Amino acid sequence: MKTIHNQPKQITSTILAGFFLLTITGCSKNDRISDAYGNFEAVEITVSAEANGKILQFDAEEGQTLEAGAVVGMIDPSDLEIRKAQLLAQRDAGESKISTIQSQIEVQLQQQENLSIEKTRIENLLKDNAAAPKQMDDIVANIRLIAKQIKSTKTQVNSAQKEIAVIDRQIDQVDENIQKCRIVNPIRGTVLNRFAEAGEITAYGKPLYNIADLSTMDLRVYVSGAQLSHIAVGQKVDVLIDKDKKTNQNLTGTIGWISPSAEFTPKTIQTKEERVNLVYAVKVKVKNDGSLKIGMPGEMIFLSNIK
């Protein structure tokens, strides 16, 4: 009876011991120590005004995804349009001036032709002794004079054409400045912050908003010199982020950059003693499924060693 009474206790102890071993084994399989720690970052681009004036329209909203080349706003181009109208009027005046000068040249050329005919007539008269030599001298002098006048008038045409060329360059510059009144988004990305509103007065170089491409983000981590032999650009690594308080989410990353020089561990990294160690910055590119945010902490685990 005594043996029968103790048997359930032995069975219970055996079951508990087995469960304990299974728990330890399970924990040892899932407990993976990360090789490096850091935070996610993205390349942020600050879009600034390229013109002075009142913002007539501004549609870049925080959190909005914008395509590259999208027009998201307009700065008042009224002053530039007035300047362009003035330049166009000056150009028209220059064209009219050239037209008038061309008409003068045509008259002078006709006069030159008439003098040439008269010269031929006098030459024939001189052969018959029907004209005085002075008549020939006068006609030759007049032909030389009209030739100089034609040359001078053509110079005026060239000068007027150069003036028009200068005006054309000024018009091109004004057109370019009018184009800069359009606020054009430079890259496909997500608007992070908006610094201006429609109706405000802005100035050249004043920030309007910043944007970043969050489709792929960089996990900046720091590794020791001893770890450098285990990594290489293009290598696949395991990236961990917090899924909840107890579990992590696994992502795949690719090492995109390794710093060529060492630096002291950033002050945000762990203990004060570790912050005086020399480390190398590493950027790991991770495709963002929507769960990654700028500044979010992350961990990196080497998938394989480089020998």
Side-chain angles (χ1 to χ4, degrees):
M1 296 296 291
K2 185 176 181 180
T3 304
I4 296 173
H5 179 71
N6 291 335
Q7 188 175 2
K9 292 183 178 179
Q10 294 174 352
I11 294 173
T12 303
S13 299
T14 302
I15 293 173
L16 290 174
F19 178 75
F20 179 72
L21 290 173
L22 181 63
T23 302
I24 294 176
T25 304
C27 291
S28 63
K29 289 182 180 179
N30 294 329
D31 187 15
R32 304 175 64 186
I33 300 176
S34 298
D35 295 301
Y37 303 84
N39 297 86
F40 285 96
E41 61 185 23
V43 178
E44 299 182 18
I45 295 178
T46 300
V47 180
S48 302
E50 296 186 79
N52 302 321
K54 184 177 181 180
I55 301 175
L56 300 179
Q57 172 197 347
F58 191 39
D59 301 327
E61 301 293 339
E62 294 180 353
Q64 180 183 7
T65 299
L66 299 175
E67 297 295 331
V71 179
V72 297
M74 175 66 73
I75 299 172
D76 189 3
S78 299
D79 291 343
L80 294 171
E81 290 175 346
I82 292 173
R83 173 60 178 161
K84 182 179 179 179
Q86 292 174 341
L87 290 172
L88 289 173
Q90 292 178 12
R91 193 184 191 284
D92 290 341
E95 292 285 359
S96 298
K97 180 180 179 181
I98 290 177
S99 179
T100 301
I101 296 173
Q102 292 286 9
S103 299
Q104 293 177 2
I105 292 175
E106 291 177 1
V107 171
Q108 290 170 343
L109 289 173
Q110 184 62 52
Q111 291 175 348
Q112 187 180 47
E113 183 179 354
N114 294 339
L115 289 172
S116 296
I117 294 173
E118 182 65 17
K119 179 175 178 289
T120 302
R121 189 181 69 82
I122 293 175
E123 286 176 346
N124 293 329
L125 291 175
L126 285 173
K127 291 178 183 179
D128 297 333
N129 294 322
K134 185 177 183 307
Q135 290 179 280
M136 176 60 69
D137 294 339
D138 291 342
I139 200 68
V140 169
N142 289 335
I143 290 175
R144 290 175 180 172
L145 178 61
I146 197 65
K148 291 181 179 180
Q149 291 176 345
I150 292 173
K151 183 178 180 180
S152 175
T153 307
K154 287 182 177 180
T155 301
Q156 295 178 31
V157 172
N158 293 334
S159 177
Q161 288 175 339
K162 290 179 180 178
E163 291 177 2
I164 290 178
V166 172
I167 293 173
D168 285 339
R169 299 294 79 76
Q170 292 176 344
I171 292 174
D172 291 341
Q173 184 178 13
V174 171
D175 284 337
E176 183 178 353
N177 290 335
I178 290 175
Q179 288 297 316
K180 289 181 179 179
C181 288
R182 300 161 67 246
I183 304 171
V184 181
N185 185 58
I187 64 167
R188 187 184 190 281
T190 302
V191 178
L192 303 178
N193 298 286
R194 171 172 167 153
F195 308 123
E197 298 292 337
E200 293 181 354
I201 302 299
T202 190
Y204 182 88
K206 184 177 180 180
L208 300 175
Y209 67 97
N210 60 357
I211 188 169
D213 182 4
L214 303 182
S215 61
T216 299
M217 299 187 65
D218 291 332
L219 174 62
R220 178 186 283 268
V221 298
Y222 296 88
V223 301
S224 65
Q227 291 175 303
L228 281 179
S229 61
H230 299 286
I231 60 174
V233 174
Q235 176 185 345
K236 299 292 184 182
V237 296
D238 208 7
V239 175
L240 303 180
I241 61 173
D242 296 335
K243 186 174 183 181
D244 51 45
K245 292 183 178 180
K246 296 182 178 180
T247 59
N248 293 325
Q249 179 180 346
N250 287 64
L251 299 171
T252 300
T254 303
I255 296 178
W257 174 79
I258 301 174
S259 175
S261 59
E263 58 184 285
F264 286 105
T265 309
K267 293 183 178 181
T268 57
I269 302 297
Q270 300 181 14
T271 65
K272 183 176 181 180
E273 290 76 13
E274 291 175 334
R275 291 200 296 266
V276 300
N277 295 330
L278 287 175
V279 293
Y280 293 83
V282 175
K283 287 185 180 180
V284 180
K285 294 191 175 297
V286 183
K287 188 174 180 59
N288 190 2
D289 59 359
S291 59
L292 303 180
K293 303 293 186 292
I294 295 176
M296 176 187 291
E299 306 174 20
M300 181 186 74
I301 300 175
F302 304 148
L303 294 180
S304 61
N305 292 341
I306 303 298
K307 294 183 179 180

